[in-house]
Amino acid sequence: MGGFWGERFAMRSTSAITIHRPEELNESLRRAWHRAMDESPDYANPFLAPEFTIGVSRYRGGARVAVLHENGEAVGFFPYERNAYGVGRAIGLGLSDCQALVHRPGVTWDSRRLLRACGLSVFEFDHLVAEQQPFGPYVTGTFASPVLDLKPGEGDYPGWLRATYPGLAKTTLKKERRLARDAGEVRFVYDERDPRMLRTLMRWKSAQYRRTGRMDRFAKPWIVDLVDHLFQVREEHFTGILSVVYAGDRPVAAHFGPRSRTVFAAWFTAYDPEFGYYSPGLMMHLRLAEAAGRDGVTLMDMGRGAKEYKDWLKTRELRVAEGFAARPHPVAAAHRMWRRPVRGLRNTVLAHPRLREPADRLLKTVGTLRTSGPAHSPGVGARAR
């Protein structure tokens, strides 16, 4: 079968499915999960690593993993969250930019049998990778996810920038020189280990969410705790990387995201609004791409969503899907009736610039009214230690 779901391979059916709490996965199962990631580029994304699922499970009580077995061997891993009514969602839905049942090449499964084994009437996803054929009938939409193919950097950063982005190089380097004159020498730290800089990033991002009228993710304590935890994870298939651009001793822009052996996931980027003139967000992504390439990363996944800087930087696009896998059940029908119209409206707005731009302006106006009102402490500040 072609199209979004690609070509089918010779498939092997699984014989058993077992359910586990993520933190209870033994070393043998984790190694098998890592092996499945290594054997297919579809599953190399750090959001598909067991370390991400285990991190989410520390703060989300309904996290589970279904393990698919073939002849006694673990060949597939399906992380999900389940509520008391049997409604399931992709692990870290709303945060994760890549979702899948991670499996060895050639393995397939029956979606209804999988949901039944997991005790789910419905499973919601919004960044499903293209390979997942058994979920194909339940896809309600597919979307571009821009990526940047990285090559090992040679020479210094200005030389890499001129060779890779000749159109952007002149403007970016000029702004960096001006920033250095105005605020101090510009330097970039790819793997910053100072947790205070992570707090600074969260504070900037929280303020950005409020200015633009978006939901402040860092007002949710469990997300703050999860990012704190992932910052400490230093494993081969998942490492939390905090990167910072400094001018003198002052942080100007920062990014936090996970990397696997070969894929870097762009996640949370923010900057000090005082330095907005210098395009610090773009500066951060360019510096990050160059440094990640030097570090052995071959792909930077910038995530689903239309942004001008993604169009500038991308080398190609992947496709991700959203939808609701379900088996016959009243709860599944009710969940789809509730969630699908909301998603449809959002996607319609995002897909049409004439609608998206007025919506952005409205959100920014709401954000301005909020931030100009009585002072309140965001979740990050309230939990700062």
Side-chain angles (χ1 to χ4, degrees), residues 214 305-308 311 345-364:
R214 266 69 176 184
K307 295 288 184 181
E308 189 174 39
D311 289 335
L345 177 61
R346 182 202 64 193
N347 293 334
T348 298
V349 171
L350 294 177
H352 295 84
R354 291 183 179 179
L355 297 176
R356 185 172 66 244
E357 292 170 7
D360 275 341
R361 288 196 297 270
L362 176 60
L363 288 171
K364 288 176 181 177

Side-chain angles (χ1 to χ4, degrees), residues 19 46 78 127 144 164 176 185 189 192 205 208 243 295 297 321 328 356 366:
I19 309 299
F78 176 61
H127 285 77
T164 308
E176 288 192 9
E185 179 185 2
V189 179
E192 174 63 81
K205 196 68 178 178
Q208 177 191 329
S243 303
D295 196 35
V297 172
R356 185 172 66 244
V366 172

Side-chain angles (χ1 to χ4, degrees), residues 138-372:
Y138 306 102
V139 168
T140 58
T142 66
F143 305 88
S145 185
V147 298
L148 171 57
D149 293 291
L150 301 179
K151 299 177 181 178
E154 296 181 2
D156 56 10
Y157 167 72
W160 173 88
L161 184 59
R162 290 189 184 98
T164 308
Y165 295 104
L168 284 176
K170 183 177 180 179
T171 301
T172 301
L173 292 172
K174 181 179 179 180
K175 287 188 174 184
E176 288 192 9
R177 288 192 295 269
R178 181 169 293 181
L179 176 60
R181 289 197 303 269
D182 294 346
E185 179 185 2
V186 176
R187 60 190 178 90
F188 173 72
V189 179
Y190 171 64
D191 190 9
E192 174 63 81
R193 300 310 300 159
D194 186 347
R196 293 174 300 177
M197 290 300 99
L198 183 63
R199 289 288 162 174
T200 297
L201 169 60
M202 291 185 189
R203 187 169 62 251
W204 285 342
K205 196 68 178 178
S206 187
Q208 177 191 329
Y209 285 138
R210 298 197 305 275
R211 281 197 311 273
T212 57
R214 266 69 176 184
M215 180 192 74
D216 180 3
R217 290 177 175 175
F218 291 117
K220 296 180 179 293
W222 79 268
I223 294 180
V224 175
D225 291 341
L226 173 63
V227 171
D228 278 340
H229 167 75
L230 296 177
F231 174 63
Q232 302 297 330
V233 177
R234 314 286 290 179
E235 301 292 343
E236 182 180 14
H237 291 80
F238 189 104
T239 298
I241 301 288
L242 173 66
S243 303
V244 184
V245 173
Y246 293 91
D249 293 327
R250 185 169 177 180
V252 172
H255 172 274
F256 178 75
R259 64 154 294 178
S260 65
R261 296 173 65 183
T262 58
V263 177
F264 195 111
W267 207 14
F268 293 114
T269 305
Y271 58 85
D272 186 338
E274 184 177 332
F275 295 94
Y277 167 79
Y278 305 96
S279 302
L282 179 61
M283 190 185 303
M284 165 59 68
H285 280 93
L286 290 167
R287 292 270 186 173
L288 188 56
E290 190 267 349
R294 286 177 175 270
D295 196 35
V297 172
T298 59
L299 187 77
M300 179 179 289
D301 188 338
M302 293 183 283
R304 169 185 162 184
K307 295 288 184 181
E308 189 174 39
Y309 78 89
K310 295 182 183 182
D311 289 335
W312 289 341
L313 301 182
K314 70 182 180 183
T315 55
R316 57 190 171 96
E317 294 177 343
L318 304 178
R319 301 295 296 181
V320 296
E322 69 176 34
F324 305 87
R327 57 192 180 93
H329 196 283
V331 171
H335 186 77
R336 286 198 304 270
M337 288 177 63
W338 169 55
R339 291 286 291 157
R340 189 166 181 174
V342 175
R343 286 206 165 183
L345 177 61
R346 182 202 64 193
N347 293 334
T348 298
V349 171
L350 294 177
H352 295 84
R354 291 183 179 179
L355 297 176
R356 185 172 66 244
E357 292 170 7
D360 275 341
R361 288 196 297 270
L362 176 60
L363 288 171
K364 288 176 181 177
T365 300
V366 172
T368 300
L369 293 174
R370 285 177 177 172
T371 55
S372 63

